[in-house]
Amino acid sequence: MSAPPPAPPSEPPAFPTYRLQTFLPAFALGWGLGAALTFAARGLGDTLLSGPCEGRTLLALLPALLLGPGGLALTAANWRSPVRAALGLGLVVASLLPALFVGAQDIAGLRRSGCAGGYVVLSTVNVGQPGESISALSVPAGETRVLSARIGGFTPTSHPGAFTVEGASPVPGVRVSVPSAPVRAGEPFTVTVAVDRRTPVNTYTVGVKTVTQQEGRALEATGTLELNVRPALR
């Protein structure tokens, strides 16, 4: 009597079984490792970076950029291994919280301190008070519009110096008048846009530039406005 044929080798299931008893500890370990890496990178960056701005944006984003793709790659490569896959998922969650959350807070702090650069906000004027900020303005030829402006991105604490203000226009028929006296960060000032009656109907880009000196270097905050010149009113 012949022996029975050998049983075929068992194949791993198409979809592995994830048990809560093994998934949660590995997931918590991955999250803990990600959180520890986030705060270790912050501590190391604070030690190596002496300036308040240079390299800080990269430091704020680096943990999230490493943990997110790295955790996804680990999970995808080991999806048949529930423990390793759970470890990778823990790293992915750590890339969002705390890494991305803390990084966003750091970047917001950099903007408040002026490290992200400055800009000029242009707004309409309603009953003598600044209204909504605008990026485009329509003015008939021969008319004038008065706008309110302020310097953003810098604060009086981070940049206490005075800013000189300049207006820029691409054509002689459009004049951008700004205060001759220096202004402070966050302080509103008036910008007047006057369009000559003979200015051709077209779209022009006008601008406002402010400059201050701090620690021996010039810092700029600029703003632009799309000016649509319409036909003169009869």
Side-chain angles (χ1 to χ4, degrees):
M1 185 175 182
S2 60
S10 61
E11 296 182 358
F15 296 97
T17 302
Y18 289 82
R19 299 182 181 278
L20 194 62
Q21 296 89 333
T22 57
F23 180 87
L24 280 182
F27 177 84
L29 176 62
W31 184 89
L33 289 174
L37 177 62
T38 298
F39 293 105
R42 285 166 54 85
L44 181 62
D46 290 337
T47 302
L48 298 178
L49 299 176
S50 58
C53 299
E54 186 175 359
R56 298 287 175 173
T57 301
L58 178 60
L59 177 63
L61 296 177
L62 188 60
L65 294 176
L66 292 176
L67 293 174
L72 287 175
L74 180 62
T75 302
N78 299 276
W79 69 277
R80 289 184 179 275
S81 173
V83 174
R84 294 180 181 178
L87 182 68
L89 290 176
L91 294 175
V92 172
V93 174
S95 72
L96 302 175
L97 185 70
L100 187 60
F101 177 78
V102 172
Q105 297 295 317
D106 290 343
I107 291 176
L110 292 174
R111 290 190 63 87
R112 288 192 297 268
S113 64
C115 291
Y119 50 90
V120 175
V121 180
L122 297 170
S123 309
T124 57
V125 177
N126 296 326
V127 197
Q129 297 296 325
E132 296 182 355
S133 61
I134 57 174
S135 59
L137 180 67
S138 295
V139 181
E143 294 200 8
T144 299
R145 294 291 185 270
V146 177
L147 305 175
S148 176
R150 66 174 177 82
I151 300 172
F154 298 143
T155 66
T157 303
S158 63
H159 297 78
F163 289 76
T164 58
V165 188
E166 301 176 9
S169 170
V171 292
V174 177
R175 298 184 304 279
V176 181
S177 301
V178 296
S180 57
V183 299
R184 302 285 179 176
E187 174 184 292
F189 57 94
T190 300
V191 175
T192 304
V193 179
V195 181
D196 190 89
R197 193 172 186 85
R198 294 166 294 182
T199 303
V201 175
N202 206 337
T203 299
Y204 306 95
T205 300
V206 298
V208 176
K209 182 175 76 171
T210 62
V211 182
T212 188
Q213 296 289 332
Q214 183 165 317
E215 297 180 355
R217 59 193 182 103
L219 299 177
E220 292 186 2
T222 60
T224 59
L225 181 69
E226 185 179 272
L227 181 66
N228 300 312
V229 177
R230 302 201 311 261
L233 301 177
R234 298 184 181 276

PDB file of all heavy atoms in Angstrom, residues 110-141:
ATOM      1  N   LEU A 110       7.524  81.573  14.830  1.00  0.00           N
ATOM      2  CA  LEU A 110       8.494  82.215  13.951  1.00  0.00           C
ATOM      3  C   LEU A 110       7.859  83.379  13.193  1.00  0.00           C
ATOM      4  O   LEU A 110       8.485  84.427  12.995  1.00  0.00           O
ATOM      5  CB  LEU A 110       9.061  81.191  12.960  1.00  0.00           C
ATOM      6  CG  LEU A 110       9.956  80.096  13.544  1.00  0.00           C
ATOM      7  CD1 LEU A 110      10.323  79.089  12.473  1.00  0.00           C
ATOM      8  CD2 LEU A 110      11.212  80.696  14.164  1.00  0.00           C
ATOM      9  N   ARG A 111       6.611  83.211  12.764  1.00  0.00           N
ATOM     10  CA  ARG A 111       5.931  84.311  12.065  1.00  0.00           C
ATOM     11  C   ARG A 111       5.714  85.491  13.004  1.00  0.00           C
ATOM     12  O   ARG A 111       5.880  86.644  12.623  1.00  0.00           O
ATOM     13  CB  ARG A 111       4.594  83.834  11.504  1.00  0.00           C
ATOM     14  CG  ARG A 111       4.728  82.859  10.343  1.00  0.00           C
ATOM     15  CD  ARG A 111       3.388  82.629   9.691  1.00  0.00           C
ATOM     16  NE  ARG A 111       2.879  83.865   9.113  1.00  0.00           N
ATOM     17  CZ  ARG A 111       3.162  84.293   7.895  1.00  0.00           C
ATOM     18  NH1 ARG A 111       3.960  83.579   7.128  1.00  0.00           N
ATOM     19  NH2 ARG A 111       2.654  85.423   7.439  1.00  0.00           N
ATOM     20  N   ARG A 112       5.323  85.194  14.257  1.00  0.00           N
ATOM     21  CA  ARG A 112       5.101  86.289  15.203  1.00  0.00           C
ATOM     22  C   ARG A 112       6.387  87.029  15.520  1.00  0.00           C
ATOM     23  O   ARG A 112       6.369  88.240  15.790  1.00  0.00           O
ATOM     24  CB  ARG A 112       4.476  85.738  16.493  1.00  0.00           C
ATOM     25  CG  ARG A 112       3.024  85.307  16.346  1.00  0.00           C
ATOM     26  CD  ARG A 112       2.405  85.049  17.705  1.00  0.00           C
ATOM     27  NE  ARG A 112       3.068  83.957  18.402  1.00  0.00           N
ATOM     28  CZ  ARG A 112       2.687  82.690  18.330  1.00  0.00           C
ATOM     29  NH1 ARG A 112       1.660  82.355  17.573  1.00  0.00           N
ATOM     30  NH2 ARG A 112       3.320  81.747  19.009  1.00  0.00           N
ATOM     31  N   SER A 113       7.511  86.343  15.489  1.00  0.00           N
ATOM     32  CA  SER A 113       8.787  86.986  15.799  1.00  0.00           C
ATOM     33  C   SER A 113       9.430  87.647  14.587  1.00  0.00           C
ATOM     34  O   SER A 113      10.470  88.272  14.716  1.00  0.00           O
ATOM     35  CB  SER A 113       9.758  85.961  16.394  1.00  0.00           C
ATOM     36  OG  SER A 113      10.058  84.958  15.442  1.00  0.00           O
ATOM     37  N   GLY A 114       8.797  87.494  13.407  1.00  0.00           N
ATOM     38  CA  GLY A 114       9.326  88.127  12.209  1.00  0.00           C
ATOM     39  C   GLY A 114      10.307  87.283  11.432  1.00  0.00           C
ATOM     40  O   GLY A 114      10.838  87.730  10.420  1.00  0.00           O
ATOM     41  N   CYS A 115      10.539  86.045  11.846  1.00  0.00           N
ATOM     42  CA  CYS A 115      11.499  85.204  11.130  1.00  0.00           C
ATOM     43  C   CYS A 115      10.979  84.783   9.762  1.00  0.00           C
ATOM     44  O   CYS A 115      11.762  84.426   8.897  1.00  0.00           O
ATOM     45  CB  CYS A 115      11.820  83.965  11.965  1.00  0.00           C
ATOM     46  SG  CYS A 115      12.778  84.312  13.462  1.00  0.00           S
ATOM     47  N   ALA A 116       9.675  84.774   9.582  1.00  0.00           N
ATOM     48  CA  ALA A 116       9.109  84.369   8.290  1.00  0.00           C
ATOM     49  C   ALA A 116       9.047  85.523   7.300  1.00  0.00           C
ATOM     50  O   ALA A 116       8.547  85.359   6.190  1.00  0.00           O
ATOM     51  CB  ALA A 116       7.715  83.781   8.500  1.00  0.00           C
ATOM     52  N   GLY A 117       9.558  86.680   7.676  1.00  0.00           N
ATOM     53  CA  GLY A 117       9.531  87.832   6.777  1.00  0.00           C
ATOM     54  C   GLY A 117       8.316  88.706   7.024  1.00  0.00           C
ATOM     55  O   GLY A 117       7.362  88.329   7.691  1.00  0.00           O
ATOM     56  N   GLY A 118       8.380  89.893   6.463  1.00  0.00           N
ATOM     57  CA  GLY A 118       7.291  90.844   6.645  1.00  0.00           C
ATOM     58  C   GLY A 118       6.515  91.060   5.362  1.00  0.00           C
ATOM     59  O   GLY A 118       6.939  90.676   4.276  1.00  0.00           O
ATOM     60  N   TYR A 119       5.371  91.667   5.497  1.00  0.00           N
ATOM     61  CA  TYR A 119       4.512  91.966   4.358  1.00  0.00           C
ATOM     62  C   TYR A 119       3.681  93.197   4.698  1.00  0.00           C
ATOM     63  O   TYR A 119       3.545  93.577   5.874  1.00  0.00           O
ATOM     64  CB  TYR A 119       3.610  90.775   4.036  1.00  0.00           C
ATOM     65  CG  TYR A 119       2.874  90.224   5.241  1.00  0.00           C
ATOM     66  CD1 TYR A 119       1.619  90.706   5.611  1.00  0.00           C
ATOM     67  CD2 TYR A 119       3.451  89.213   6.030  1.00  0.00           C
ATOM     68  CE1 TYR A 119       0.962  90.215   6.729  1.00  0.00           C
ATOM     69  CE2 TYR A 119       2.801  88.721   7.144  1.00  0.00           C
ATOM     70  CZ  TYR A 119       1.548  89.206   7.478  1.00  0.00           C
ATOM     71  OH  TYR A 119       0.905  88.728   8.583  1.00  0.00           O
ATOM     72  N   VAL A 120       3.122  93.815   3.682  1.00  0.00           N
ATOM     73  CA  VAL A 120       2.271  94.981   3.862  1.00  0.00           C
ATOM     74  C   VAL A 120       0.848  94.598   3.482  1.00  0.00           C
ATOM     75  O   VAL A 120       0.611  94.079   2.381  1.00  0.00           O
ATOM     76  CB  VAL A 120       2.754  96.165   3.012  1.00  0.00           C
ATOM     77  CG1 VAL A 120       1.781  97.337   3.122  1.00  0.00           C
ATOM     78  CG2 VAL A 120       4.152  96.599   3.448  1.00  0.00           C
ATOM     79  N   VAL A 121      -0.079  94.827   4.390  1.00  0.00           N
ATOM     80  CA  VAL A 121      -1.494  94.539   4.161  1.00  0.00           C
ATOM     81  C   VAL A 121      -2.182  95.828   3.734  1.00  0.00           C
ATOM     82  O   VAL A 121      -2.093  96.846   4.431  1.00  0.00           O
ATOM     83  CB  VAL A 121      -2.161  93.982   5.432  1.00  0.00           C
ATOM     84  CG1 VAL A 121      -3.638  93.692   5.175  1.00  0.00           C
ATOM     85  CG2 VAL A 121      -1.441  92.733   5.910  1.00  0.00           C
ATOM     86  N   LEU A 122      -2.858  95.783   2.600  1.00  0.00           N
ATOM     87  CA  LEU A 122      -3.608  96.929   2.095  1.00  0.00           C
ATOM     88  C   LEU A 122      -5.098  96.673   2.305  1.00  0.00           C
ATOM     89  O   LEU A 122      -5.595  95.587   2.002  1.00  0.00           O
ATOM     90  CB  LEU A 122      -3.310  97.155   0.614  1.00  0.00           C
ATOM     91  CG  LEU A 122      -1.854  97.507   0.287  1.00  0.00           C
ATOM     92  CD1 LEU A 122      -1.613  97.479  -1.221  1.00  0.00           C
ATOM     93  CD2 LEU A 122      -1.508  98.885   0.837  1.00  0.00           C
ATOM     94  N   SER A 123      -5.800  97.694   2.805  1.00  0.00           N
ATOM     95  CA  SER A 123      -7.214  97.534   3.138  1.00  0.00           C
ATOM     96  C   SER A 123      -7.996  98.746   2.661  1.00  0.00           C
ATOM     97  O   SER A 123      -7.441  99.836   2.464  1.00  0.00           O
ATOM     98  CB  SER A 123      -7.412  97.363   4.657  1.00  0.00           C
ATOM     99  OG  SER A 123      -6.576  96.366   5.187  1.00  0.00           O
ATOM    100  N   THR A 124      -9.286  98.542   2.496  1.00  0.00           N
ATOM    101  CA  THR A 124     -10.180  99.664   2.220  1.00  0.00           C
ATOM    102  C   THR A 124     -10.347 100.495   3.492  1.00  0.00           C
ATOM    103  O   THR A 124      -9.965 100.075   4.591  1.00  0.00           O
ATOM    104  CB  THR A 124     -11.540  99.162   1.741  1.00  0.00           C
ATOM    105  OG1 THR A 124     -12.096  98.280   2.738  1.00  0.00           O
ATOM    106  CG2 THR A 124     -11.400  98.399   0.427  1.00  0.00           C
ATOM    107  N   VAL A 125     -10.917 101.672   3.354  1.00  0.00           N
ATOM    108  CA  VAL A 125     -11.168 102.558   4.493  1.00  0.00           C
ATOM    109  C   VAL A 125     -12.671 102.785   4.595  1.00  0.00           C
ATOM    110  O   VAL A 125     -13.310 103.237   3.640  1.00  0.00           O
ATOM    111  CB  VAL A 125     -10.433 103.909   4.332  1.00  0.00           C
ATOM    112  CG1 VAL A 125     -10.764 104.834   5.489  1.00  0.00           C
ATOM    113  CG2 VAL A 125      -8.932 103.674   4.243  1.00  0.00           C
ATOM    114  N   ASN A 126     -13.234 102.446   5.752  1.00  0.00           N
ATOM    115  CA  ASN A 126     -14.654 102.628   6.007  1.00  0.00           C
ATOM    116  C   ASN A 126     -14.838 103.560   7.189  1.00  0.00           C
ATOM    117  O   ASN A 126     -14.483 103.228   8.318  1.00  0.00           O
ATOM    118  CB  ASN A 126     -15.337 101.283   6.300  1.00  0.00           C
ATOM    119  CG  ASN A 126     -15.290 100.338   5.127  1.00  0.00           C
ATOM    120  OD1 ASN A 126     -15.360 100.779   3.987  1.00  0.00           O
ATOM    121  ND2 ASN A 126     -15.159  99.047   5.393  1.00  0.00           N
ATOM    122  N   VAL A 127     -15.372 104.719   6.929  1.00  0.00           N
ATOM    123  CA  VAL A 127     -15.633 105.730   7.960  1.00  0.00           C
ATOM    124  C   VAL A 127     -14.372 105.999   8.771  1.00  0.00           C
ATOM    125  O   VAL A 127     -14.368 105.991  10.008  1.00  0.00           O
ATOM    126  CB  VAL A 127     -16.804 105.304   8.884  1.00  0.00           C
ATOM    127  CG1 VAL A 127     -17.336 106.506   9.668  1.00  0.00           C
ATOM    128  CG2 VAL A 127     -17.932 104.693   8.083  1.00  0.00           C
ATOM    129  N   GLY A 128     -13.267 106.165   8.065  1.00  0.00           N
ATOM    130  CA  GLY A 128     -12.007 106.498   8.724  1.00  0.00           C
ATOM    131  C   GLY A 128     -11.297 105.330   9.362  1.00  0.00           C
ATOM    132  O   GLY A 128     -10.212 105.512   9.933  1.00  0.00           O
ATOM    133  N   GLN A 129     -11.871 104.117   9.302  1.00  0.00           N
ATOM    134  CA  GLN A 129     -11.259 102.956   9.922  1.00  0.00           C
ATOM    135  C   GLN A 129     -10.892 101.926   8.847  1.00  0.00           C
ATOM    136  O   GLN A 129     -11.577 101.808   7.830  1.00  0.00           O
ATOM    137  CB  GLN A 129     -12.224 102.315  10.933  1.00  0.00           C
ATOM    138  CG  GLN A 129     -12.586 103.204  12.099  1.00  0.00           C
ATOM    139  CD  GLN A 129     -11.385 103.542  12.968  1.00  0.00           C
ATOM    140  OE1 GLN A 129     -10.499 102.711  13.148  1.00  0.00           O
ATOM    141  NE2 GLN A 129     -11.360 104.763  13.498  1.00  0.00           N
ATOM    142  N   PRO A 130      -9.806 101.163   9.054  1.00  0.00           N
ATOM    143  CA  PRO A 130      -9.445 100.139   8.082  1.00  0.00           C
ATOM    144  C   PRO A 130     -10.546  99.105   7.923  1.00  0.00           C
ATOM    145  O   PRO A 130     -11.141  98.654   8.915  1.00  0.00           O
ATOM    146  CB  PRO A 130      -8.176  99.515   8.680  1.00  0.00           C
ATOM    147  CG  PRO A 130      -7.629 100.554   9.613  1.00  0.00           C
ATOM    148  CD  PRO A 130      -8.821 101.282  10.152  1.00  0.00           C
ATOM    149  N   GLY A 131     -10.833  98.741   6.672  1.00  0.00           N
ATOM    150  CA  GLY A 131     -11.840  97.733   6.391  1.00  0.00           C
ATOM    151  C   GLY A 131     -11.207  96.402   6.055  1.00  0.00           C
ATOM    152  O   GLY A 131     -10.197  96.011   6.638  1.00  0.00           O
ATOM    153  N   GLU A 132     -11.771  95.709   5.062  1.00  0.00           N
ATOM    154  CA  GLU A 132     -11.263  94.403   4.668  1.00  0.00           C
ATOM    155  C   GLU A 132      -9.997  94.554   3.829  1.00  0.00           C
ATOM    156  O   GLU A 132      -9.858  95.495   3.050  1.00  0.00           O
ATOM    157  CB  GLU A 132     -12.326  93.642   3.873  1.00  0.00           C
ATOM    158  CG  GLU A 132     -13.585  93.319   4.677  1.00  0.00           C
ATOM    159  CD  GLU A 132     -14.579  92.527   3.860  1.00  0.00           C
ATOM    160  OE1 GLU A 132     -14.319  92.326   2.650  1.00  0.00           O
ATOM    161  OE2 GLU A 132     -15.601  92.112   4.419  1.00  0.00           O
ATOM    162  N   SER A 133      -9.104  93.609   4.000  1.00  0.00           N
ATOM    163  CA  SER A 133      -7.883  93.615   3.184  1.00  0.00           C
ATOM    164  C   SER A 133      -8.230  93.267   1.741  1.00  0.00           C
ATOM    165  O   SER A 133      -9.164  92.505   1.472  1.00  0.00           O
ATOM    166  CB  SER A 133      -6.870  92.621   3.733  1.00  0.00           C
ATOM    167  OG  SER A 133      -7.379  91.311   3.699  1.00  0.00           O
ATOM    168  N   ILE A 134      -7.500  93.832   0.807  1.00  0.00           N
ATOM    169  CA  ILE A 134      -7.771  93.638  -0.613  1.00  0.00           C
ATOM    170  C   ILE A 134      -6.472  93.308  -1.335  1.00  0.00           C
ATOM    171  O   ILE A 134      -5.375  93.656  -0.887  1.00  0.00           O
ATOM    172  CB  ILE A 134      -8.415  94.898  -1.249  1.00  0.00           C
ATOM    173  CG1 ILE A 134      -7.502  96.116  -1.049  1.00  0.00           C
ATOM    174  CG2 ILE A 134      -9.796  95.150  -0.657  1.00  0.00           C
ATOM    175  CD1 ILE A 134      -7.990  97.368  -1.757  1.00  0.00           C
ATOM    176  N   SER A 135      -6.605  92.623  -2.464  1.00  0.00           N
ATOM    177  CA  SER A 135      -5.463  92.345  -3.339  1.00  0.00           C
ATOM    178  C   SER A 135      -5.671  92.938  -4.723  1.00  0.00           C
ATOM    179  O   SER A 135      -4.743  92.929  -5.536  1.00  0.00           O
ATOM    180  CB  SER A 135      -5.244  90.834  -3.456  1.00  0.00           C
ATOM    181  OG  SER A 135      -6.399  90.203  -3.980  1.00  0.00           O
ATOM    182  N   ALA A 136      -6.877  93.431  -5.006  1.00  0.00           N
ATOM    183  CA  ALA A 136      -7.185  94.035  -6.300  1.00  0.00           C
ATOM    184  C   ALA A 136      -8.104  95.237  -6.073  1.00  0.00           C
ATOM    185  O   ALA A 136      -8.874  95.280  -5.109  1.00  0.00           O
ATOM    186  CB  ALA A 136      -7.838  93.025  -7.241  1.00  0.00           C
ATOM    187  N   LEU A 137      -8.012  96.203  -6.972  1.00  0.00           N
ATOM    188  CA  LEU A 137      -8.799  97.434  -6.838  1.00  0.00           C
ATOM    189  C   LEU A 137      -9.130  97.960  -8.231  1.00  0.00           C
ATOM    190  O   LEU A 137      -8.258  97.983  -9.112  1.00  0.00           O
ATOM    191  CB  LEU A 137      -8.006  98.482  -6.051  1.00  0.00           C
ATOM    192  CG  LEU A 137      -8.683  99.833  -5.812  1.00  0.00           C
ATOM    193  CD1 LEU A 137      -9.879  99.668  -4.884  1.00  0.00           C
ATOM    194  CD2 LEU A 137      -7.681 100.821  -5.216  1.00  0.00           C
ATOM    195  N   SER A 138     -10.377  98.357  -8.436  1.00  0.00           N
ATOM    196  CA  SER A 138     -10.808  98.951  -9.704  1.00  0.00           C
ATOM    197  C   SER A 138     -11.019 100.449  -9.497  1.00  0.00           C
ATOM    198  O   SER A 138     -11.734 100.853  -8.566  1.00  0.00           O
ATOM    199  CB  SER A 138     -12.105  98.301 -10.194  1.00  0.00           C
ATOM    200  OG  SER A 138     -11.889  96.938 -10.502  1.00  0.00           O
ATOM    201  N   VAL A 139     -10.391 101.259 -10.346  1.00  0.00           N
ATOM    202  CA  VAL A 139     -10.475 102.717 -10.241  1.00  0.00           C
ATOM    203  C   VAL A 139     -10.712 103.295 -11.637  1.00  0.00           C
ATOM    204  O   VAL A 139      -9.946 103.000 -12.558  1.00  0.00           O
ATOM    205  CB  VAL A 139      -9.186 103.314  -9.634  1.00  0.00           C
ATOM    206  CG1 VAL A 139      -9.309 104.827  -9.516  1.00  0.00           C
ATOM    207  CG2 VAL A 139      -8.899 102.698  -8.280  1.00  0.00           C
ATOM    208  N   PRO A 140     -11.741 104.105 -11.832  1.00  0.00           N
ATOM    209  CA  PRO A 140     -11.906 104.785 -13.126  1.00  0.00           C
ATOM    210  C   PRO A 140     -10.791 105.803 -13.348  1.00  0.00           C
ATOM    211  O   PRO A 140     -10.273 106.404 -12.391  1.00  0.00           O
ATOM    212  CB  PRO A 140     -13.275 105.473 -12.984  1.00  0.00           C
ATOM    213  CG  PRO A 140     -13.957 104.768 -11.854  1.00  0.00           C
ATOM    214  CD  PRO A 140     -12.875 104.338 -10.924  1.00  0.00           C
ATOM    215  N   ALA A 141     -10.390 105.974 -14.575  1.00  0.00           N
ATOM    216  CA  ALA A 141      -9.368 106.970 -14.905  1.00  0.00           C
ATOM    217  C   ALA A 141      -9.819 108.340 -14.447  1.00  0.00           C
ATOM    218  O   ALA A 141     -10.981 108.722 -14.603  1.00  0.00           O
ATOM    219  CB  ALA A 141      -9.102 106.962 -16.407  1.00  0.00           C
TER     220      ALA A 141
END
